[in-house]
Amino acid sequence: MIHPPPTATTEPERPWLRSRHLPALVIGATLGVFALGILAVTLHLRREIREDIAKREGEILHSVAMMLQAEEDRTLLDEPSVQLNVLLKTSRLKGVVAARLFDAQGRFVSAFPAYVSDGALAARDLAGLQQLQTIARPREFASHVGLSEQPGAEKVPFDLYEIIVPLHAQGDRKLLGIAQFILDGRGLATELRGIDRSLANQAVSVFLIGGAVMVIALRWAFGRLQRAQAQLARRSRSLLEANRELALASKTSAVGALAAHLLHELKSQLFGIQALLAGRRTSEADKAEPAWRTAADSAQRMQALIAQLLGVIRNEQGAANSYEVSLNELADLVTTQVMPLARACDVSFTAEVKSPGTVSSRAANLVGIILGHLAQNAIQATPRKKAVRLTLLGEPHGVRCEVRDEGRGFSEELRPLLFKPCLSTKEGGSGLGLALCKQLAGHLDAELELEQSTANGCVFSLTLPENLAGDVSAESDLPQSSDTESFAKPG
């Protein structure tokens, strides 16, 4: 029992992987993530820069307060009046809107100007101030720092900075008091807007340059991926095609084995029929010679056809060694096949080799079948006493074969349908002969066509390609085959 070869399996197709929009989607998503990363870094830098600027302002006020304290009596620095004097002097600096004074424990002492409300320090801020740390931070609303607008007074600026400075003696870590300053942030806001513009420009530049590099890299990567995918698809198709060919070869091998068995059985039966006809023709030669001779010729022709088919099967299965066959031998083979039919139809058949040439033995069997069938059709279509001629011509680029008859030709309507199966112009014909000949010619990469069709006859031509033709000059050196019915030598 012959088992078919295993079928090739492929992974499930993923249409979205082959979508032409996939590269654009991936590039867009990558650029989006890149932009979000740049935005996050920019916002982080912006926040750190604002904190550094606020600390800078705090350090400036702290240094000024320390300088003013140095001018006071060192023994009186813990007095609230002295600390208030330092506070008032410091508040004269440009940009100070309001100030408060707290003692070392964080209790409110005094404020300037008068409309500034009492305040309190947060426990977290007080803990840092006791470590002599300066606190600086922006405030969005005036109410957050206890400022209220007075009638007729100038409106409190929207941008405010709160700076809390620890008061202590130079070189002493003891906290003496706490000064809280509220600064007009309009100057700082202008500076920060300039910094924001610079950060935005740098972020856009980084995005454009980095994005361009990423787009180029991704397009290159997708190009390579698509080429690799196309190559993989081609190899997958080749694998599937090879798998189908293997399956077909397996089926063909099984059918060939069965066909060979049937042909051997038919050949054995024909030997018996041929022996019976030979004996009967000898005993009753004067009584029924024409009929028995026709039957014997038909049996001989069938036996020759079976032998030829067996030779083709052996060649296709690789049992026969390939060798060169001359065009003269090919003409003799066709003549042997069709001569009994020509005598029965009273038609003259001649085979002529106009120039020497050779074909391989593997091709010669199939060519013999094609030419034999064309010659039989020509003989059946030719009236009595007319002629059918087979011409073989070796050419530099192949071999050309012509079968010419003197029949009535084909009508214009039938010519395009000649090689279609199940269409016959003969009574009782199956319409498969020319279709099979066309398929056999295609198997050889040869061209079979109706070259001419008139009321005086038809010409069928079979042109073999160069790879099936041998060296023309070597024809005289070819060994002659002893089997005239087939070119397949027994294995």
Side-chain angles (χ1 to χ4, degrees):
M1 181 177 180
I2 299 177
H3 298 279
T7 57
T9 58
T10 57
E11 294 185 358
E13 294 186 357
R14 298 179 175 90
W16 59 271
L17 285 177
R18 299 196 306 271
S19 174
R20 58 181 180 179
H21 302 298
L22 179 62
L25 292 176
V26 173
I27 292 175
T30 304
L31 291 179
V33 173
F34 184 52
L36 290 177
I38 293 177
L39 179 61
V41 172
T42 303
L43 293 177
H44 178 72
L45 289 176
R46 181 176 181 270
R47 184 173 63 253
E48 288 190 346
I49 290 173
R50 287 175 177 270
E51 291 177 356
D52 291 341
I53 291 177
K55 290 180 180 179
R56 180 196 67 185
E57 296 296 324
E59 293 296 334
I60 292 174
L61 285 178
H62 186 212
S63 299
V64 171
M66 292 297 294
M67 290 175 59
L68 293 174
Q69 277 187 326
E71 297 176 358
E72 301 293 335
D73 189 353
R74 186 178 180 86
T75 59
L76 300 176
L77 289 178
D78 55 348
E79 294 291 333
S81 59
V82 176
Q83 295 177 2
L84 181 59
N85 186 38
V86 173
L87 177 67
L88 292 175
K89 290 180 179 180
T90 307
S91 63
R92 294 173 186 171
L93 294 175
K94 184 178 179 180
V96 177
V97 177
R100 291 192 185 93
L101 180 63
F102 299 90
D103 61 13
Q105 285 73 38
R107 294 186 294 268
F108 177 76
V109 175
S110 180
F112 176 84
Y115 61 82
V116 178
S117 62
D118 298 346
L121 296 175
R124 184 179 58 183
D125 295 341
L126 183 59
L129 290 167
Q130 289 175 350
Q131 300 296 324
L132 304 182
Q133 297 177 359
T134 301
I135 298 174
R137 58 197 170 202
R139 289 295 189 180
E140 294 184 354
F141 301 102
S143 59
H144 289 176
V145 291
L147 298 181
S148 59
E149 298 181 13
Q150 299 297 318
E154 184 181 357
K155 185 177 180 180
V156 177
F158 181 83
D159 294 321
L160 300 174
Y161 273 83
E162 176 186 16
I163 297 177
I164 306 175
V165 176
L167 299 177
H168 59 93
Q170 188 99 20
D172 191 357
R173 301 288 299 174
K174 180 181 179 181
L175 181 63
L176 302 177
I178 300 171
Q180 181 189 39
F181 299 95
I182 309 302
L183 273 63
D184 183 353
R186 285 178 291 187
L188 292 177
T190 301
E191 181 181 358
L192 290 175
R193 282 194 293 270
I195 294 175
D196 289 344
R197 284 193 297 270
S198 178
L199 286 175
N201 292 334
Q202 292 178 6
V204 171
S205 300
V206 170
F207 175 76
L208 292 178
I209 298 175
V213 173
M214 293 175 65
V215 168
I216 294 173
L218 288 174
R219 289 297 300 175
W220 176 80
F222 269 107
R224 293 203 60 180
L225 179 62
Q226 288 173 349
R227 289 192 293 271
Q229 186 177 8
Q231 185 179 10
L232 179 61
R234 289 193 297 270
R235 290 183 178 179
S236 298
R237 288 192 296 269
S238 300
L239 179 61
L240 291 176
E241 184 65 26
N243 184 72
R244 284 193 291 268
E245 291 179 0
L246 286 175
L248 181 60
S250 176
K251 295 177 182 178
T252 305
S253 176
V255 173
L258 180 60
H261 175 72
L262 293 177
L263 290 174
H264 276 294
E265 292 294 327
L266 287 175
K267 188 175 183 180
S268 300
Q269 299 299 325
L270 281 173
F271 271 124
I273 295 174
Q274 196 173 21
L276 176 62
L277 291 175
R280 185 62 178 265
R281 185 173 55 188
T282 302
S283 60
E284 301 181 8
D286 297 333
K287 185 177 180 180
E289 174 68 20
W292 286 108
R293 182 177 179 181
T294 300
D297 289 342
S298 298
Q300 183 180 0
R301 186 156 51 92
M302 290 179 64
Q303 186 177 4
L305 180 60
I306 290 174
Q308 190 175 26
L309 290 175
L310 288 174
V312 171
I313 292 175
R314 285 195 296 268
N315 271 339
E316 292 298 325
Q317 291 178 346
N321 295 323
S322 179
Y323 58 95
E324 298 299 322
V325 176
S326 69
L327 297 185
N328 288 324
E329 289 180 307
L330 185 60
D332 293 342
L333 171 66
V334 177
T335 302
T336 302
Q337 292 180 22
V338 302
M339 190 55 71
L341 179 62
R343 287 196 297 264
C345 295
D346 196 14
V347 173
S348 173
F349 178 81
T350 58
E352 178 185 6
V353 179
K354 287 190 174 182
S355 62
T358 61
V359 294
S360 66
S361 61
R362 295 175 62 86
N365 285 303
L366 295 180
V367 173
I369 293 176
I370 297 172
L371 295 179
H373 187 83
L374 293 176
Q376 290 174 11
N377 284 352
I379 291 172
Q380 293 173 350
T382 300
R384 297 170 64 87
K385 305 299 182 180
K386 297 289 184 179
V388 173
R389 185 168 67 255
L390 169 65
T391 303
L392 303 177
L393 176 64
E395 297 179 342
H397 300 292
V399 174
R400 178 178 175 81
C401 310
E402 289 184 357
V403 176
R404 186 182 301 270
D405 64 47
E406 297 180 359
R408 294 176 300 176
F410 297 98
S411 64
E412 293 289 341
E413 295 79 9
L414 289 178
R415 291 177 190 176
L417 305 175
L418 282 179
F419 299 106
K420 301 293 182 182
C422 302
L423 176 65
S424 177
T425 59
K426 298 184 296 185
E427 182 178 355
S430 63
L432 297 177
L434 287 177
L436 290 175
C437 289
K438 188 71 172 180
Q439 291 185 0
L440 291 176
H443 178 71
L444 295 173
D445 292 330
E447 294 184 5
L448 175 62
E449 57 185 353
L450 175 64
E451 191 168 290
Q452 179 182 341
S453 177
T454 65
N456 296 324
C458 297
V459 177
F460 280 90
S461 66
L462 176 66
T463 304
L464 304 179
E466 185 178 3
N467 62 321
L468 297 181
D471 187 4
V472 174
S473 62
E475 181 179 356
S476 59
D477 299 331
L478 290 175
Q480 300 296 319
S481 173
S482 60
D483 185 1
T484 60
E485 296 180 352
S486 173
F487 297 116
K489 294 180 180 179

